[in-house]
mmCIF file of all heavy atoms in Angstrom:
data_model
loop_
_atom_site.group_PDB
_atom_site.id
_atom_site.type_symbol
_atom_site.label_atom_id
_atom_site.label_comp_id
_atom_site.label_asym_id
_atom_site.label_seq_id
_atom_site.Cartn_x
_atom_site.Cartn_y
_atom_site.Cartn_z
ATOM 1 N N SER A 1 -156.935 1.887 8.126
ATOM 2 C CA SER A 1 -155.668 1.537 8.771
ATOM 3 C C SER A 1 -155.097 0.240 8.205
ATOM 4 O O SER A 1 -153.924 -0.073 8.436
ATOM 5 C CB SER A 1 -155.893 1.374 10.281
ATOM 6 O OG SER A 1 -156.832 0.336 10.527
ATOM 7 N N CYS A 2 -155.903 -0.509 7.479
ATOM 8 C CA CYS A 2 -155.469 -1.785 6.897
ATOM 9 C C CYS A 2 -155.349 -1.646 5.378
ATOM 10 O O CYS A 2 -155.776 -0.651 4.792
ATOM 11 C CB CYS A 2 -156.470 -2.894 7.236
ATOM 12 S SG CYS A 2 -158.185 -2.483 6.829
ATOM 13 N N ARG A 3 -154.757 -2.633 4.768
ATOM 14 C CA ARG A 3 -154.696 -2.693 3.307
ATOM 15 C C ARG A 3 -155.945 -3.420 2.824
ATOM 16 O O ARG A 3 -156.183 -4.576 3.198
ATOM 17 C CB ARG A 3 -153.411 -3.393 2.864
ATOM 18 C CG ARG A 3 -152.157 -2.581 3.175
ATOM 19 C CD ARG A 3 -150.891 -3.411 3.085
ATOM 20 N NE ARG A 3 -150.860 -4.451 4.104
ATOM 21 C CZ ARG A 3 -150.488 -4.249 5.365
ATOM 22 N NH1 ARG A 3 -150.119 -3.038 5.762
ATOM 23 N NH2 ARG A 3 -150.478 -5.245 6.227
ATOM 24 N N VAL A 4 -156.734 -2.756 2.000
ATOM 25 C CA VAL A 4 -158.066 -3.240 1.647
ATOM 26 C C VAL A 4 -158.074 -3.820 0.242
ATOM 27 O O VAL A 4 -157.600 -3.188 -0.709
ATOM 28 C CB VAL A 4 -159.108 -2.107 1.756
ATOM 29 C CG1 VAL A 4 -160.504 -2.631 1.403
ATOM 30 C CG2 VAL A 4 -159.104 -1.508 3.158
ATOM 31 N N ILE A 5 -158.643 -5.012 0.137
ATOM 32 C CA ILE A 5 -158.834 -5.667 -1.166
ATOM 33 C C ILE A 5 -160.332 -5.847 -1.373
ATOM 34 O O ILE A 5 -161.000 -6.495 -0.547
ATOM 35 C CB ILE A 5 -158.119 -7.043 -1.216
ATOM 36 C CG1 ILE A 5 -156.615 -6.881 -1.011
ATOM 37 C CG2 ILE A 5 -158.403 -7.737 -2.543
ATOM 38 C CD1 ILE A 5 -156.142 -7.194 0.382
ATOM 39 N N LEU A 6 -160.867 -5.286 -2.438
ATOM 40 C CA LEU A 6 -162.289 -5.394 -2.760
ATOM 41 C C LEU A 6 -162.457 -6.360 -3.932
ATOM 42 O O LEU A 6 -161.699 -6.296 -4.902
ATOM 43 C CB LEU A 6 -162.858 -4.023 -3.119
ATOM 44 C CG LEU A 6 -162.655 -2.907 -2.094
ATOM 45 C CD1 LEU A 6 -163.235 -1.594 -2.618
ATOM 46 C CD2 LEU A 6 -163.277 -3.264 -0.748
ATOM 47 N N THR A 7 -163.483 -7.226 -3.864
ATOM 48 C CA THR A 7 -163.604 -8.296 -4.864
ATOM 49 C C THR A 7 -164.984 -8.324 -5.517
ATOM 50 O O THR A 7 -165.676 -9.342 -5.481
ATOM 51 C CB THR A 7 -163.329 -9.654 -4.201
ATOM 52 O OG1 THR A 7 -164.285 -9.869 -3.150
ATOM 53 C CG2 THR A 7 -161.933 -9.713 -3.621
ATOM 54 N N PRO A 8 -165.411 -7.258 -6.154
ATOM 55 C CA PRO A 8 -166.760 -7.238 -6.719
ATOM 56 C C PRO A 8 -166.876 -7.943 -8.069
ATOM 57 O O PRO A 8 -165.916 -8.024 -8.826
ATOM 58 C CB PRO A 8 -167.021 -5.742 -6.894
ATOM 59 C CG PRO A 8 -165.665 -5.177 -7.207
ATOM 60 C CD PRO A 8 -164.711 -5.970 -6.340
ATOM 61 N N HIS A 9 -168.077 -8.452 -8.343
ATOM 62 C CA HIS A 9 -168.436 -8.749 -9.723
ATOM 63 C C HIS A 9 -169.016 -7.462 -10.310
ATOM 64 O O HIS A 9 -169.215 -6.474 -9.577
ATOM 65 C CB HIS A 9 -169.391 -9.939 -9.814
ATOM 66 C CG HIS A 9 -170.662 -9.818 -9.010
ATOM 67 N ND1 HIS A 9 -171.579 -8.796 -9.196
ATOM 68 C CD2 HIS A 9 -171.178 -10.608 -8.022
ATOM 69 C CE1 HIS A 9 -172.607 -8.959 -8.376
ATOM 70 N NE2 HIS A 9 -172.378 -10.047 -7.646
ATOM 71 N N PRO A 10 -169.265 -7.401 -11.621
ATOM 72 C CA PRO A 10 -169.660 -6.120 -12.228
ATOM 73 C C PRO A 10 -170.857 -5.439 -11.576
ATOM 74 O O PRO A 10 -170.872 -4.207 -11.432
ATOM 75 C CB PRO A 10 -169.959 -6.500 -13.680
ATOM 76 C CG PRO A 10 -169.025 -7.632 -13.948
ATOM 77 C CD PRO A 10 -169.003 -8.424 -12.659
ATOM 78 N N LYS A 11 -171.870 -6.198 -11.149
ATOM 79 C CA LYS A 11 -173.044 -5.572 -10.543
ATOM 80 C C LYS A 11 -172.693 -4.977 -9.188
ATOM 81 O O LYS A 11 -173.171 -3.889 -8.834
ATOM 82 C CB LYS A 11 -174.164 -6.595 -10.391
ATOM 83 C CG LYS A 11 -175.541 -5.977 -10.208
ATOM 84 C CD LYS A 11 -175.969 -5.215 -11.462
ATOM 85 C CE LYS A 11 -177.359 -4.620 -11.308
ATOM 86 N NZ LYS A 11 -177.747 -3.815 -12.490
ATOM 87 N N GLU A 12 -171.851 -5.655 -8.411
ATOM 88 C CA GLU A 12 -171.403 -5.095 -7.131
ATOM 89 C C GLU A 12 -170.521 -3.878 -7.356
ATOM 90 O O GLU A 12 -170.581 -2.908 -6.590
ATOM 91 C CB GLU A 12 -170.645 -6.163 -6.344
ATOM 92 C CG GLU A 12 -171.540 -7.276 -5.811
ATOM 93 C CD GLU A 12 -170.763 -8.481 -5.310
ATOM 94 O OE1 GLU A 12 -169.603 -8.670 -5.742
ATOM 95 O OE2 GLU A 12 -171.323 -9.245 -4.505
ATOM 96 N N PHE A 13 -169.717 -3.920 -8.417
ATOM 97 C CA PHE A 13 -168.884 -2.759 -8.739
ATOM 98 C C PHE A 13 -169.756 -1.570 -9.123
ATOM 99 O O PHE A 13 -169.436 -0.421 -8.781
ATOM 100 C CB PHE A 13 -167.923 -3.111 -9.871
ATOM 101 C CG PHE A 13 -166.949 -2.015 -10.205
ATOM 102 C CD1 PHE A 13 -166.104 -1.485 -9.248
ATOM 103 C CD2 PHE A 13 -166.875 -1.508 -11.497
ATOM 104 C CE1 PHE A 13 -165.209 -0.473 -9.551
ATOM 105 C CE2 PHE A 13 -165.984 -0.496 -11.816
ATOM 106 C CZ PHE A 13 -165.148 0.024 -10.840
ATOM 107 N N GLU A 14 -170.838 -1.835 -9.810
ATOM 108 C CA GLU A 14 -171.790 -0.778 -10.164
ATOM 109 C C GLU A 14 -172.277 -0.075 -8.903
ATOM 110 O O GLU A 14 -172.335 1.162 -8.848
ATOM 111 C CB GLU A 14 -172.969 -1.383 -10.926
ATOM 112 C CG GLU A 14 -174.052 -0.393 -11.304
ATOM 113 C CD GLU A 14 -175.228 -1.060 -11.996
ATOM 114 O OE1 GLU A 14 -176.148 -1.514 -11.279
ATOM 115 O OE2 GLU A 14 -175.223 -1.137 -13.231
ATOM 116 N N ARG A 15 -172.611 -0.844 -7.886
ATOM 117 C CA ARG A 15 -173.088 -0.239 -6.638
ATOM 118 C C ARG A 15 -171.966 0.499 -5.909
ATOM 119 O O ARG A 15 -172.185 1.563 -5.322
ATOM 120 C CB ARG A 15 -173.696 -1.321 -5.740
ATOM 121 C CG ARG A 15 -175.016 -1.868 -6.267
ATOM 122 C CD ARG A 15 -175.699 -2.751 -5.238
ATOM 123 N NE ARG A 15 -175.111 -4.069 -5.158
ATOM 124 C CZ ARG A 15 -175.518 -5.130 -5.866
ATOM 125 N NH1 ARG A 15 -176.517 -4.994 -6.730
ATOM 126 N NH2 ARG A 15 -174.936 -6.300 -5.713
ATOM 127 N N LEU A 16 -170.759 -0.051 -5.954
ATOM 128 C CA LEU A 16 -169.632 0.586 -5.269
ATOM 129 C C LEU A 16 -169.284 1.944 -5.861
ATOM 130 O O LEU A 16 -169.040 2.910 -5.132
ATOM 131 C CB LEU A 16 -168.402 -0.319 -5.345
ATOM 132 C CG LEU A 16 -168.253 -1.423 -4.313
ATOM 133 C CD1 LEU A 16 -167.052 -2.291 -4.650
ATOM 134 C CD2 LEU A 16 -168.112 -0.857 -2.900
ATOM 135 N N CYS A 17 -169.222 2.000 -7.186
ATOM 136 C CA CYS A 17 -168.782 3.252 -7.814
ATOM 137 C C CYS A 17 -169.944 4.185 -8.136
ATOM 138 O O CYS A 17 -169.722 5.322 -8.554
ATOM 139 C CB CYS A 17 -167.967 2.962 -9.074
ATOM 140 S SG CYS A 17 -168.873 2.179 -10.412
ATOM 141 N N GLY A 18 -171.180 3.719 -7.941
ATOM 142 C CA GLY A 18 -172.340 4.581 -8.133
ATOM 143 C C GLY A 18 -172.646 4.897 -9.579
ATOM 144 O O GLY A 18 -173.305 5.900 -9.859
ATOM 145 N N GLU A 19 -172.185 4.052 -10.486
ATOM 146 C CA GLU A 19 -172.467 4.240 -11.910
ATOM 147 C C GLU A 19 -173.036 2.972 -12.507
ATOM 148 O O GLU A 19 -172.735 1.868 -12.056
ATOM 149 C CB GLU A 19 -171.192 4.619 -12.671
ATOM 150 C CG GLU A 19 -170.666 5.987 -12.358
ATOM 151 C CD GLU A 19 -169.568 6.387 -13.336
ATOM 152 O OE1 GLU A 19 -169.697 6.074 -14.525
ATOM 153 O OE2 GLU A 19 -168.591 6.994 -12.889
ATOM 154 N N LYS A 20 -173.852 3.118 -13.528
ATOM 155 C CA LYS A 20 -174.417 1.969 -14.212
ATOM 156 C C LYS A 20 -173.337 1.233 -14.996
ATOM 157 O O LYS A 20 -172.377 1.839 -15.476
ATOM 158 C CB LYS A 20 -175.532 2.412 -15.167
ATOM 159 C CG LYS A 20 -176.770 2.974 -14.467
ATOM 160 C CD LYS A 20 -177.480 1.887 -13.663
ATOM 161 C CE LYS A 20 -178.756 2.406 -13.031
ATOM 162 N NZ LYS A 20 -179.422 1.346 -12.222
ATOM 163 N N ILE A 21 -173.522 -0.067 -15.128
ATOM 164 C CA ILE A 21 -172.557 -0.888 -15.861
ATOM 165 C C ILE A 21 -172.316 -0.338 -17.256
ATOM 166 O O ILE A 21 -171.182 -0.340 -17.761
ATOM 167 C CB ILE A 21 -173.063 -2.348 -15.947
ATOM 168 C CG1 ILE A 21 -173.072 -2.983 -14.557
ATOM 169 C CG2 ILE A 21 -172.208 -3.170 -16.896
ATOM 170 C CD1 ILE A 21 -173.678 -4.364 -14.522
ATOM 171 N N GLU A 22 -173.360 0.151 -17.896
ATOM 172 C CA GLU A 22 -173.248 0.662 -19.265
ATOM 173 C C GLU A 22 -172.237 1.796 -19.374
ATOM 174 O O GLU A 22 -171.688 2.046 -20.445
ATOM 175 C CB GLU A 22 -174.615 1.149 -19.775
ATOM 176 C CG GLU A 22 -175.616 0.040 -20.047
ATOM 177 C CD GLU A 22 -176.167 -0.616 -18.789
ATOM 178 O OE1 GLU A 22 -176.085 0.017 -17.701
ATOM 179 O OE2 GLU A 22 -176.651 -1.757 -18.881
ATOM 180 N N ASN A 23 -171.978 2.484 -18.259
ATOM 181 C CA ASN A 23 -171.050 3.611 -18.282
ATOM 182 C C ASN A 23 -169.590 3.199 -18.237
ATOM 183 O O ASN A 23 -168.706 4.003 -18.547
ATOM 184 C CB ASN A 23 -171.335 4.558 -17.111
ATOM 185 C CG ASN A 23 -172.687 5.237 -17.226
ATOM 186 O OD1 ASN A 23 -173.271 5.284 -18.299
ATOM 187 N ND2 ASN A 23 -173.190 5.731 -16.124
ATOM 188 N N PHE A 24 -169.323 1.943 -17.832
ATOM 189 C CA PHE A 24 -167.927 1.532 -17.738
ATOM 190 C C PHE A 24 -167.614 0.214 -18.433
ATOM 191 O O PHE A 24 -166.448 -0.156 -18.556
ATOM 192 C CB PHE A 24 -167.473 1.455 -16.273
ATOM 193 C CG PHE A 24 -168.214 0.471 -15.418
ATOM 194 C CD1 PHE A 24 -167.949 -0.891 -15.499
ATOM 195 C CD2 PHE A 24 -169.169 0.911 -14.508
ATOM 196 C CE1 PHE A 24 -168.628 -1.793 -14.693
ATOM 197 C CE2 PHE A 24 -169.849 0.008 -13.699
ATOM 198 C CZ PHE A 24 -169.575 -1.343 -13.795
ATOM 199 N N ARG A 25 -168.611 -0.493 -18.918
ATOM 200 C CA ARG A 25 -168.353 -1.818 -19.489
ATOM 201 C C ARG A 25 -167.532 -1.753 -20.773
ATOM 202 O O ARG A 25 -166.896 -2.731 -21.157
ATOM 203 C CB ARG A 25 -169.673 -2.555 -19.750
ATOM 204 C CG ARG A 25 -170.550 -1.943 -20.822
ATOM 205 C CD ARG A 25 -171.951 -2.516 -20.770
ATOM 206 N NE ARG A 25 -171.966 -3.974 -20.854
ATOM 207 C CZ ARG A 25 -172.683 -4.653 -21.753
ATOM 208 N NH1 ARG A 25 -173.402 -4.005 -22.648
ATOM 209 N NH2 ARG A 25 -172.672 -5.956 -21.764
ATOM 210 N N HIS A 26 -167.498 -0.577 -21.431
ATOM 211 C CA HIS A 26 -166.707 -0.448 -22.654
ATOM 212 C C HIS A 26 -165.234 -0.169 -22.352
ATOM 213 O O HIS A 26 -164.402 -0.243 -23.256
ATOM 214 C CB HIS A 26 -167.284 0.649 -23.557
ATOM 215 C CG HIS A 26 -168.585 0.254 -24.177
ATOM 216 N ND1 HIS A 26 -168.666 -0.577 -25.276
ATOM 217 C CD2 HIS A 26 -169.866 0.540 -23.837
ATOM 218 C CE1 HIS A 26 -169.925 -0.770 -25.595
ATOM 219 N NE2 HIS A 26 -170.676 -0.103 -24.736
ATOM 220 N N ASP A 27 -164.906 0.141 -21.109
ATOM 221 C CA ASP A 27 -163.505 0.298 -20.720
ATOM 222 C C ASP A 27 -163.382 -0.088 -19.253
ATOM 223 O O ASP A 27 -163.151 0.749 -18.374
ATOM 224 C CB ASP A 27 -163.025 1.723 -20.951
ATOM 225 C CG ASP A 27 -161.502 1.805 -21.028
ATOM 226 O OD1 ASP A 27 -160.841 0.833 -20.616
ATOM 227 O OD2 ASP A 27 -160.980 2.831 -21.493
ATOM 228 N N ILE A 28 -163.508 -1.368 -18.993
ATOM 229 C CA ILE A 28 -163.510 -1.889 -17.635
ATOM 230 C C ILE A 28 -162.186 -1.596 -16.931
ATOM 231 O O ILE A 28 -162.153 -1.244 -15.749
ATOM 232 C CB ILE A 28 -163.779 -3.410 -17.661
ATOM 233 C CG1 ILE A 28 -165.242 -3.667 -18.043
ATOM 234 C CG2 ILE A 28 -163.457 -4.053 -16.330
ATOM 235 C CD1 ILE A 28 -165.565 -5.134 -18.241
ATOM 236 N N ILE A 29 -161.087 -1.734 -17.658
ATOM 237 C CA ILE A 29 -159.777 -1.542 -17.034
ATOM 238 C C ILE A 29 -159.613 -0.107 -16.544
ATOM 239 O O ILE A 29 -159.147 0.129 -15.422
ATOM 240 C CB ILE A 29 -158.660 -1.930 -18.014
ATOM 241 C CG1 ILE A 29 -158.684 -3.445 -18.255
ATOM 242 C CG2 ILE A 29 -157.292 -1.487 -17.500
ATOM 243 C CD1 ILE A 29 -157.679 -3.931 -19.282
ATOM 244 N N ALA A 30 -159.983 0.860 -17.362
ATOM 245 C CA ALA A 30 -159.872 2.261 -16.948
ATOM 246 C C ALA A 30 -160.759 2.549 -15.745
ATOM 247 O O ALA A 30 -160.347 3.264 -14.815
ATOM 248 C CB ALA A 30 -160.248 3.178 -18.118
ATOM 249 N N ALA A 31 -161.970 2.000 -15.743
ATOM 250 C CA ALA A 31 -162.880 2.225 -14.619
ATOM 251 C C ALA A 31 -162.321 1.612 -13.336
ATOM 252 O O ALA A 31 -162.408 2.210 -12.260
ATOM 253 C CB ALA A 31 -164.252 1.628 -14.934
ATOM 254 N N ALA A 32 -161.746 0.422 -13.461
ATOM 255 C CA ALA A 32 -161.160 -0.240 -12.290
ATOM 256 C C ALA A 32 -159.991 0.573 -11.740
ATOM 257 O O ALA A 32 -159.853 0.749 -10.522
ATOM 258 C CB ALA A 32 -160.715 -1.649 -12.662
ATOM 259 N N LYS A 33 -159.125 1.063 -12.625
ATOM 260 C CA LYS A 33 -157.978 1.865 -12.191
ATOM 261 C C LYS A 33 -158.436 3.134 -11.474
ATOM 262 O O LYS A 33 -157.887 3.497 -10.425
ATOM 263 C CB LYS A 33 -157.111 2.234 -13.395
ATOM 264 C CG LYS A 33 -156.270 1.111 -13.940
ATOM 265 C CD LYS A 33 -155.423 1.582 -15.119
ATOM 266 C CE LYS A 33 -154.371 2.573 -14.700
ATOM 267 N NZ LYS A 33 -153.488 2.953 -15.838
ATOM 268 N N THR A 34 -159.423 3.792 -12.032
ATOM 269 C CA THR A 34 -159.912 5.040 -11.454
ATOM 270 C C THR A 34 -160.463 4.813 -10.055
ATOM 271 O O THR A 34 -160.166 5.573 -9.115
ATOM 272 C CB THR A 34 -161.001 5.655 -12.352
ATOM 273 O OG1 THR A 34 -160.435 5.974 -13.627
ATOM 274 C CG2 THR A 34 -161.574 6.917 -11.725
ATOM 275 N N PHE A 35 -161.257 3.758 -9.894
ATOM 276 C CA PHE A 35 -161.846 3.488 -8.582
ATOM 277 C C PHE A 35 -160.769 3.113 -7.572
ATOM 278 O O PHE A 35 -160.765 3.600 -6.431
ATOM 279 C CB PHE A 35 -162.888 2.379 -8.672
ATOM 280 C CG PHE A 35 -163.564 2.101 -7.357
ATOM 281 C CD1 PHE A 35 -164.694 2.809 -6.991
ATOM 282 C CD2 PHE A 35 -163.038 1.168 -6.467
ATOM 283 C CE1 PHE A 35 -165.308 2.575 -5.755
ATOM 284 C CE2 PHE A 35 -163.637 0.930 -5.233
ATOM 285 C CZ PHE A 35 -164.777 1.638 -4.880
ATOM 286 N N ALA A 36 -159.862 2.231 -7.956
ATOM 287 C CA ALA A 36 -158.820 1.787 -7.026
ATOM 288 C C ALA A 36 -157.957 2.952 -6.569
ATOM 289 O O ALA A 36 -157.627 3.075 -5.381
ATOM 290 C CB ALA A 36 -157.966 0.709 -7.683
ATOM 291 N N LYS A 37 -157.594 3.805 -7.503
ATOM 292 C CA LYS A 37 -156.743 4.953 -7.163
ATOM 293 C C LYS A 37 -157.487 5.917 -6.249
ATOM 294 O O LYS A 37 -156.928 6.422 -5.270
ATOM 295 C CB LYS A 37 -156.304 5.663 -8.443
ATOM 296 C CG LYS A 37 -155.173 6.657 -8.230
ATOM 297 C CD LYS A 37 -154.642 7.164 -9.548
ATOM 298 C CE LYS A 37 -153.369 7.972 -9.378
ATOM 299 N NZ LYS A 37 -152.231 7.155 -8.924
ATOM 300 N N GLY A 38 -158.754 6.163 -6.557
ATOM 301 C CA GLY A 38 -159.531 7.114 -5.765
ATOM 302 C C GLY A 38 -159.857 6.623 -4.373
ATOM 303 O O GLY A 38 -160.030 7.425 -3.451
ATOM 304 N N SER A 39 -159.958 5.307 -4.206
ATOM 305 C CA SER A 39 -160.327 4.753 -2.907
ATOM 306 C C SER A 39 -159.128 4.253 -2.114
ATOM 307 O O SER A 39 -159.258 3.902 -0.935
ATOM 308 C CB SER A 39 -161.326 3.601 -3.097
ATOM 309 O OG SER A 39 -160.748 2.557 -3.862
ATOM 310 N N GLY A 40 -157.958 4.181 -2.749
ATOM 311 C CA GLY A 40 -156.772 3.692 -2.073
ATOM 312 C C GLY A 40 -156.805 2.203 -1.785
ATOM 313 O O GLY A 40 -156.200 1.738 -0.817
ATOM 314 N N THR A 41 -157.498 1.456 -2.628
ATOM 315 C CA THR A 41 -157.660 0.017 -2.417
ATOM 316 C C THR A 41 -157.022 -0.782 -3.550
ATOM 317 O O THR A 41 -156.611 -0.231 -4.571
ATOM 318 C CB THR A 41 -159.151 -0.360 -2.363
ATOM 319 O OG1 THR A 41 -159.759 -0.071 -3.638
ATOM 320 C CG2 THR A 41 -159.876 0.412 -1.283
ATOM 321 N N ILE A 42 -156.954 -2.084 -3.346
ATOM 322 C CA ILE A 42 -156.701 -3.015 -4.441
ATOM 323 C C ILE A 42 -158.055 -3.530 -4.877
ATOM 324 O O ILE A 42 -158.839 -4.029 -4.055
ATOM 325 C CB ILE A 42 -155.793 -4.171 -4.006
ATOM 326 C CG1 ILE A 42 -154.372 -3.669 -3.755
ATOM 327 C CG2 ILE A 42 -155.783 -5.276 -5.055
ATOM 328 C CD1 ILE A 42 -153.420 -4.724 -3.214
ATOM 329 N N LEU A 43 -158.339 -3.404 -6.146
ATOM 330 C CA LEU A 43 -159.624 -3.842 -6.677
ATOM 331 C C LEU A 43 -159.422 -5.088 -7.525
ATOM 332 O O LEU A 43 -158.586 -5.112 -8.434
ATOM 333 C CB LEU A 43 -160.254 -2.732 -7.528
ATOM 334 C CG LEU A 43 -161.627 -3.061 -8.118
ATOM 335 C CD1 LEU A 43 -162.694 -3.071 -7.025
ATOM 336 C CD2 LEU A 43 -162.011 -2.053 -9.205
#
């Protein structure tokens, strides 16, 4: 019901998205966009 802002560092982001850092560290921006869009949050 609120507007959500999530503020992870890479290891916390790994836990949030359920993927290892190695899977997204080569394209961090794309991974961030995908998660934010899928969760309806600001990341």
